[in-house]
Every structure is written in structure tokens, then in C-alpha cells.
Amino acid sequence: MAKSNSLSGLILPLATGALVLGGYFVYWRQTAQRIEAQVAQALPTLPKENIEVTGFPYRFEAGINGLRLQTSTGLVFEASRFVAAASPFNLNLWALEGALEPKLKLPGGPIRPLTAMDLKASLRFKDGQLARFSMTFEGLQAGTADPSGLGPAPWRTGAGGVHLIADPQDANRLAFALDLKALELSGLPEGPAAILGKRIDHVRLTGPISQGQTLLRSTKAWAQAKGEFTIMAAQLNWGPLAFDQGTGLLSVTSDGQWQGEIRGQGALKPNGMAVPALSAPIEIGIENGQARLLGFSAARVPRAYD
């Protein structure tokens, strides 16, 4: 009798454990299949066999081979393999695990290999919508320097970050923050760059975006919904020019052209010291696809959509 009781005392916990483990495996497998289906739906041109979810039992690790993302503005990102991971109990938060052989194409430019220093990125969802996106890095470079000096120069930036945060009271309203240091422009200097130089020491933009979730899906739909980016604070240190206290509005016209203006206080610092006589209100305007700063026409601004 005692032996029978001891066996039942051993079998019952084992059976319970087996049921729990089996139930967890079914949950994990069904969730992994759902993630694979959602990724395939988001990337319809990607072969389904290029998408795989692994990581049992500790996490979900979504791996994508041959990733290619392209926006209507001409921005392209490629990677031979891209991996993001999430906890089994918090599928609303995904973190970047790595990207092999990443490449980046800026609007109007060639596709270039992308290198990053200490890049970290995370994506959080709530009720199927973006709740927060954050990316920080100590340095980025798109392209490699041509020893002959004849090819396009690489595009570089030092430490920086990009953040999008949804308003808890209105998920369609996003807060935006861009902060870049030591930005080196690629290509031939034109417009203000011909005078101020190809290096921007610091640029920062913050403010809310109305119809933000619409913008994430389609710039054209965002324009039709009359979405706007309200700039609450803009800062620009470009060569001898220091621009601060910038505020303004940016939007997109019905034919896909960015338009708007940013007004703030500017000062020229030829030798690192502000010259009072050269300090005055400054307006940065974008109209008909052209950006103007200090009266100089900058390079044409890429269309928001085709």
C-alpha cells in the first residue's frame, strides 16, 4: 500500500509537468506559426521559406533571410539575414538581435553597405499599433570610401537616436525625436552645403505627428488625412551657423511634395564665437520640393511618395 502511494505521488507530479510542458509547446508552436504568417503578410514579395521562428522554449526569435524593405520615397534597406527576438510572455516588445550584410539606399542615391557601432533597436506594440520605436547608435556609415576619390563619398554620422512614441490617450498621435551628431553629407556640396560645409555637427528635431499611425502605413494616405508634423524644438549646428529655438510645421501636398517652415534664432560663429551683428531670426522653408536656408536653395527634397 505504501509502495502504491509513493508511486502515485511520483507519477502525478510527472504527469502534471508533462501536461504543462505539452500545453506550453502547443502555445509556442501555434504562436510561432502566427508570427511567421504575420511577417509573410507584411512582406508579400519575400518567399515564405525565408521566414523562420525559433528559440523554443525561452523566446521567439524571428529570422528573415534576404530581407528587402523599400519605401515610396526611395529609401531601401537590405540584409542577407535579419533577426529580432521577443519574450514568450511579451510579444508586444521586440528587440533587434542582428543584421548580416546590411545595406542602405538613401533617396536618389546608390545602395551602399551599412556599418554601425553599438546599434540598439526595439519595437513595442499595443493593440496592434505602434506604441514605441527606439533606435540608438554610436555611429553609422553608409558606403565605403573610394581610394581613388572618384566614387561617391560615404554618408556618416556619429552618435544619435531616433524615437517614436504613441500618445497613451491617442495612439494615432506620435511624438517624434531625432538627434544626430557629426553628420557628414555625401555627394557634391550644393546650396547651403557649398558655403557652410558638408559636416553638420548637431541636428535635433522633436515634436508631435498628427495622424501618425496613418503615416507609418502610407505617406500618401497621411497627406490625404492632412497629417502634420508640429516641430516643437529644432536645433542645428552647421559649420559657422548655430540655429536654435526652432518651431514650425511640416506637411505633404496632394502631389507628394514636402512643404512647411521652421523659424528660430540663428547666429553665425565664424571662429566659434557668436558675432552679435550676425545674430537674427532665421527661417528654413520648404516649398515646391526645394529647401531654403539663409536665402540659399538647398538640394531638392525627395518626394514623399510617387
Side-chain angles (χ1 to χ4, degrees), residues 153 183-189 193-194 196-200 238:
L183 173 62
E184 296 184 21
L185 304 176
S186 177
L188 295 175
L196 301 176
K198 295 176 61 175
R199 177 187 170 96
I200 300 176
W238 190 355

Coordinates of all heavy atoms in Angstrom, one line a residue, residues 153 183-189 193-194 196-200 238:
A153 N 31.3 59.5 -51.9 CA 31.8 59.5 -50.5 C 30.8 58.8 -49.6 O 29.6 58.9 -49.9 CB 32.1 60.9 -50.1
L183 N 27.2 64.7 -38.5 CA 26.7 64.2 -39.7 C 27.5 64.7 -40.9 O 27.6 65.9 -41.0 CB 25.2 64.6 -39.8 CG 24.5 64.3 -41.2 CD1 24.4 62.8 -41.4 CD2 23.1 64.9 -41.2
E184 N 28.0 63.8 -41.7 CA 28.8 64.2 -42.9 C 28.0 63.9 -44.1 O 27.7 62.7 -44.4 CB 30.2 63.4 -42.9 CG 31.1 63.8 -41.7 CD 32.4 63.1 -41.8 OE1 32.8 62.7 -42.9 OE2 33.1 62.9 -40.7
L185 N 27.7 64.9 -44.9 CA 26.9 64.8 -46.1 C 27.7 64.1 -47.2 O 28.9 64.4 -47.3 CB 26.3 66.1 -46.5 CG 25.5 66.9 -45.4 CD1 25.1 68.2 -46.0 CD2 24.3 66.1 -45.0
S186 N 27.0 63.3 -48.0 CA 27.7 62.7 -49.2 C 27.3 63.5 -50.4 O 26.4 64.2 -50.5 CB 27.2 61.3 -49.3 OG 27.8 60.7 -50.5
G187 N 28.1 63.3 -51.5 CA 27.8 64.0 -52.7 C 28.5 65.3 -52.8 O 29.2 65.8 -51.9
L188 N 28.3 66.0 -53.9 CA 28.9 67.3 -54.2 C 28.2 68.3 -53.3 O 26.9 68.4 -53.3 CB 28.8 67.7 -55.6 CG 29.7 66.8 -56.6 CD1 29.4 67.2 -58.0 CD2 31.1 66.9 -56.2
P189 N 28.9 69.2 -52.7 CA 28.3 70.3 -51.9 C 27.4 71.2 -52.8 O 27.9 71.6 -53.9 CB 29.4 71.1 -51.3 CG 30.6 70.2 -51.4 CD 30.4 69.3 -52.6
A193 N 25.3 73.8 -48.3 CA 26.5 72.9 -48.0 C 27.7 73.5 -48.8 O 28.8 73.3 -48.3 CB 26.2 71.5 -48.5
A194 N 27.5 74.2 -49.9 CA 28.6 74.8 -50.6 C 29.3 75.9 -49.8 O 30.4 76.3 -50.0 CB 28.2 75.3 -51.9
L196 N 28.4 76.4 -46.0 CA 28.5 76.0 -44.6 C 29.4 74.8 -44.5 O 29.8 74.5 -43.3 CB 27.1 75.8 -44.0 CG 26.2 77.0 -44.1 CD1 24.8 76.6 -43.5 CD2 26.8 78.2 -43.3
G197 N 29.6 74.0 -45.5 CA 30.4 72.8 -45.4 C 29.6 71.5 -45.4 O 28.3 71.6 -45.3
K198 N 30.2 70.4 -45.5 CA 29.5 69.1 -45.6 C 29.3 68.4 -44.3 O 28.7 67.4 -44.2 CB 30.3 68.1 -46.5 CG 30.4 68.6 -48.0 CD 31.2 67.7 -48.8 CE 30.7 66.3 -48.9 NZ 31.4 65.4 -49.8
R199 N 29.8 69.0 -43.2 CA 29.6 68.4 -41.9 C 28.6 69.3 -41.0 O 28.8 70.5 -40.9 CB 31.0 68.4 -41.2 CG 30.9 67.8 -39.7 CD 32.2 68.0 -39.0 NE 32.1 67.7 -37.6 CZ 32.4 66.5 -37.1 NH1 32.8 65.5 -37.9 NH2 32.3 66.3 -35.8
I200 N 27.6 68.6 -40.5 CA 26.7 69.1 -39.6 C 27.0 68.6 -38.2 O 26.9 67.4 -38.0 CB 25.2 68.8 -40.0 CG1 24.9 69.3 -41.4 CG2 24.2 69.4 -39.0 CD1 23.5 69.0 -41.9
W238 N 25.7 73.9 -37.9 CA 26.2 73.6 -39.2 C 27.3 74.5 -39.6 O 27.0 75.7 -40.0 CB 25.1 73.6 -40.2 CG 25.4 73.1 -41.6 CD1 26.6 72.6 -42.0 CD2 24.5 72.9 -42.7 NE1 26.5 72.2 -43.3 CE2 25.2 72.3 -43.8 CE3 23.1 73.2 -42.9 CZ2 24.6 72.1 -45.0 CZ3 22.5 72.9 -44.1 CH2 23.3 72.4 -45.1

